[in-house]
Amino acid sequence: MNATDTSLPTSARTFAPIHPTHTFKMLLKREFWEHKGGFLWAPLIAGAISLLLTLMAFIVAEVAARRAISGGELKIDGEVMVNGLDLGALTGKLDAGQMQQLAQGIDLSLLMAALWPFVVLGFVVFFYCLGSLYDDRKDRSVLFWKSLPISDAQTVLSKVVSATLIAPTLAVAMALATMVGFMLLLSAMVMAHGGNPIELLWGPANPMALAASLLAAIPVFALWSLPTVGWLMLCSAWARTKPFLWALMVPLFAGIIVSWFQLMKMFNLDASWFWSNVVGRMLLGTVPGSELPYRQSAAQGSDGVKDLLAHMSASNVLSSLAMPSLWIGVVAGALMIFLAIRLRRWRDEG
């Protein structure tokens, strides 16, 4: 019924209306292709650099070990003499507690290897939101986009979804690929020295649990980052020039004034509360894991690698969704995004 009837003259043909979801999907594709370098290639290159540095470290360690071995035999606990780095003999002396420490060390190394794409993610999302609406006005392309049957709400929301869901999802994918590459490098090193990577690496470690934690962090990042995303997009829509200075200086000067005049004492609060819950949420929400200090379990402190890994588990990551501060920030971010939509309707000058 909605198909085009080609037997009729061009003027009489009817075309099926474009569904709003199709329009929004095209806007998401537009954002991805215009910012493919930041969304895809930046975390991919960061992960590749992490693996390259790991490989270089292995080579340096191998050369240093070979030089040490050439000077004499390697003694293990005064009982076993190994002519070389026999990891099978080395790990054969480990008890259950030491094997657990080995597993925790491997998990921590995997997290450190996967950290690089997330560091890039924080910068990419911050500057993407900051220029999302300002750049269109700067190069006058906003006039072209406003001539199309696309609402301001669709345009702004497509940028919000790109920043809060698409970018972190791609960063998680790159982080998972980096973790797999890191484990393969470790496996090659273990096999080169007589060890079994299944027993020494893949068995004790918890790569699947770490992957679940990274996947669970995507919705948490999307909601936690909304105050920062909303504030940056509001500055991007409002500032006539230098949106970075406006986005940075307004919260900082507000914090200085609050601290100087001790305004928070009117609410029986310290100035540090304002810096943490207002300034910090406006500027640092795009930093992955920035919600960790606000979590009650994490605020109690951590004792070593074991507690750190426990805080990073999928269940603890998802427990952030129960924090009232997260949902208050969601409301504040949604309000600022709404204001950015309203501003875009009339602020179209260069």
Side-chain angles (χ1 to χ4, degrees):
M1 295 297 293
N2 291 329
T4 304
D5 188 358
T6 57
S7 63
L8 296 176
T10 303
S11 60
R13 294 175 187 175
T14 59
F15 295 88
I18 299 177
H19 196 274
T21 57
H22 296 168
T23 301
F24 194 76
K25 183 179 179 180
M26 292 303 300
L27 287 173
L28 292 178
K29 288 183 177 180
R30 170 214 171 189
E31 295 300 322
F32 173 76
W33 286 111
E34 286 190 354
H35 302 87
K36 189 176 181 180
F39 287 170
L40 178 62
W41 294 114
L44 177 62
I45 293 173
I49 292 175
S50 173
L51 294 179
L52 178 61
L53 292 178
T54 300
L55 179 60
M56 293 172 61
F58 286 168
I59 294 174
V60 172
E62 181 73 13
V63 172
R66 293 298 177 185
R67 288 179 178 176
I69 292 171
S70 63
E73 295 176 326
L74 183 63
K75 181 181 291 187
I76 305 176
D77 293 336
E79 299 176 1
V80 181
M81 305 295 292
V82 182
N83 292 321
L85 292 178
D86 191 344
L87 291 181
L90 285 169
T91 54
K93 294 294 182 178
L94 300 180
D95 56 24
Q98 291 172 327
M99 286 297 293
Q100 183 179 11
Q101 292 179 358
L102 174 63
Q104 293 172 359
I106 296 173
D107 290 344
L108 183 61
S109 299
L110 285 174
L111 284 177
M112 295 299 294
L115 183 64
W116 288 58
F118 292 110
V119 172
V120 172
L121 173 67
F123 288 99
V124 168
V125 174
F126 185 94
F127 288 102
Y128 166 77
C129 294
L130 196 59
S132 58
L133 301 177
Y134 174 78
D135 291 342
D136 286 347
R137 291 186 290 116
K138 183 179 180 181
D139 58 20
R140 296 280 187 174
S141 62
V142 65
L143 301 176
F144 166 75
W145 290 107
K146 284 192 173 185
S147 67
L148 300 178
I150 301 174
S151 67
D152 295 295
Q154 287 178 314
T155 301
V156 174
L157 291 179
S158 68
K159 297 175 183 295
V160 173
V161 172
S162 298
T164 59
L165 288 177
I166 294 179
T169 299
L170 291 174
V172 167
M174 297 303 106
L176 293 177
T178 303
M179 288 172 56
V180 173
F182 183 79
M183 287 294 285
L184 291 177
L185 287 177
L186 281 179
S187 299
M189 181 180 179
V190 168
M191 288 189 295
H193 294 288
N196 186 345
I198 302 299
E199 295 180 357
L200 302 181
L201 297 176
W202 298 91
N206 299 285
M208 298 303 296
L210 295 176
S213 300
L214 297 183
L215 292 173
I218 295 176
V220 175
F221 177 87
L223 295 173
W224 185 261
S225 63
L226 272 184
T228 303
V229 170
W231 168 246
L232 295 176
M233 295 189 73
L234 179 60
C235 292
S236 184
W238 174 78
R240 295 179 181 273
T241 182
K242 299 178 178 62
F244 176 77
L245 292 179
W246 285 105
L248 187 66
M249 291 304 172
V250 170
L252 291 180
F253 276 117
I256 292 172
I257 292 173
V258 167
S259 300
W260 194 357
F261 294 101
Q262 299 181 351
L263 298 180
M264 295 309 299
K265 287 188 175 181
M266 299 171 57
F267 306 97
N268 294 324
L269 294 172
D270 192 74
S272 60
W273 183 94
F274 186 88
W275 283 96
S276 175
N277 292 277
V278 178
V279 179
R281 295 297 307 277
M282 293 174 70
L283 296 178
L284 301 178
T286 61
V287 178
S290 58
E291 82 284 351
L292 184 61
Y294 296 82
R295 215 187 297 162
Q296 185 176 2
S297 59
Q300 297 173 354
S302 60
D303 183 16
V305 177
K306 182 178 180 180
D307 289 343
L308 176 61
L309 293 174
H311 289 316
M312 298 300 297
S313 65
S315 58
N316 277 333
V317 170
L318 291 175
S319 68
S320 300
L321 298 177
M323 295 190 302
S325 58
L326 181 143
W327 295 105
I328 294 173
V330 168
V331 174
L335 177 60
M336 287 185 283
I337 292 171
F338 173 77
L339 293 176
I341 294 173
R342 300 292 296 182
L343 282 173
R344 190 180 185 273
R345 293 182 178 178
W346 56 270
R347 183 63 68 87
D348 58 1
E349 76 283 353

